[in-house]
Amino acid sequence: MRSIVFGNEFFDHWLNQKSNEILAKVEKEKISNEDMLILSLKTQVNHFHHMDIEFRGEFKGIKKEFESVHDIFKDVKHQFEMVDRKFEQVDKRFEQVDMRFEQVDKRFEQVDKRFDRLTTILMWGFGLSVTTQMGIILKLTL
């Protein structure tokens, strides 16, 4: 399979023809510097062609690897999104718990106020009973 190098089919045809002529000449006679340059050019063109094929294969492999890494990153992103949703749910639950604690705190405040009122009533009642008893004792003793 022949390929056209540098997108110039005339150059490729000319170079192939010249290099074949020179190679046929090599065994029969001495070749000139110009002929050596043409053979060097042909060698370089062949080298470019083989490197192009090799690099294209490598690039396809790299592209597949990047695609697989991209798929892995998509999976990881999806997992992070799921974790984020779970944290949002936990955050909502903590908000609900916080609201319940606020309700319990209000109830404790109400109980505390009732206890303060009861303590005040009991102290007044105790004071009145002591005063009444003292009054009765005084009245009986005097």
Side-chain angles (χ1 to χ4, degrees):
M1 175 173 115
R2 287 188 44 193
S3 69
I4 299 172
V5 179
F6 305 121
N8 189 336
E9 118 183 28
F10 296 112
F11 173 73
D12 191 51
H13 177 71
W14 174 82
L15 187 59
N16 284 332
Q17 184 180 6
K18 272 299 208 180
S19 62
N20 287 337
E21 289 173 9
I22 295 169
L23 287 174
K25 241 178 19 174
V26 166
E27 294 177 12
K28 300 175 189 169
E29 59 187 81
K30 184 177 179 184
I31 56 174
S32 67
N33 286 340
E34 183 181 316
D35 291 340
M36 286 299 285
L37 287 174
I38 291 173
L39 287 178
S40 295
L41 181 60
K42 177 63 177 171
T43 303
Q44 288 299 314
V45 167
N46 285 340
H47 178 69
F48 291 152
H49 172 68
H50 291 293
M51 293 303 290
D52 183 49
I53 291 171
E54 185 178 330
F55 286 149
R56 286 181 191 272
E58 287 292 322
F59 288 141
K60 286 178 184 176
I62 290 170
K63 181 180 177 184
K64 286 180 183 176
E65 288 179 24
F66 274 123
E67 288 171 352
S68 67
V69 167
H70 178 70
D71 292 340
I72 291 170
F73 278 124
K74 281 173 56 177
D75 291 342
V76 169
K77 181 182 175 188
H78 178 70
Q79 290 175 356
F80 273 118
E81 288 170 350
M82 288 174 38
V83 168
D84 191 43
R85 279 187 231 124
K86 287 181 181 178
F87 273 117
E88 287 173 1
Q89 291 173 352
V90 168
D91 196 36
K92 287 178 184 176
R93 288 181 184 160
F94 274 116
E95 287 174 4
Q96 291 173 352
V97 168
D98 190 44
M99 288 172 51
R100 288 181 184 160
F101 273 117
E102 287 176 7
Q103 291 172 352
V104 168
D105 191 43
K106 287 178 184 176
R107 288 182 184 162
F108 273 120
E109 286 177 12
Q110 290 173 352
V111 168
D112 193 39
K113 287 178 184 177
R114 287 180 187 159
F115 186 73
D116 284 344
R117 275 189 246 141
L118 182 63
T119 305
T120 304
I121 290 171
L122 288 174
M123 286 182 71
W124 277 101
F126 179 72
L128 283 175
S129 81
V130 167
T131 307
T132 306
Q133 287 175 3
M134 291 304 248
I136 292 173
I137 292 174
L138 275 175
K139 192 131 184 149
L140 289 173
T141 56
L142 287 175

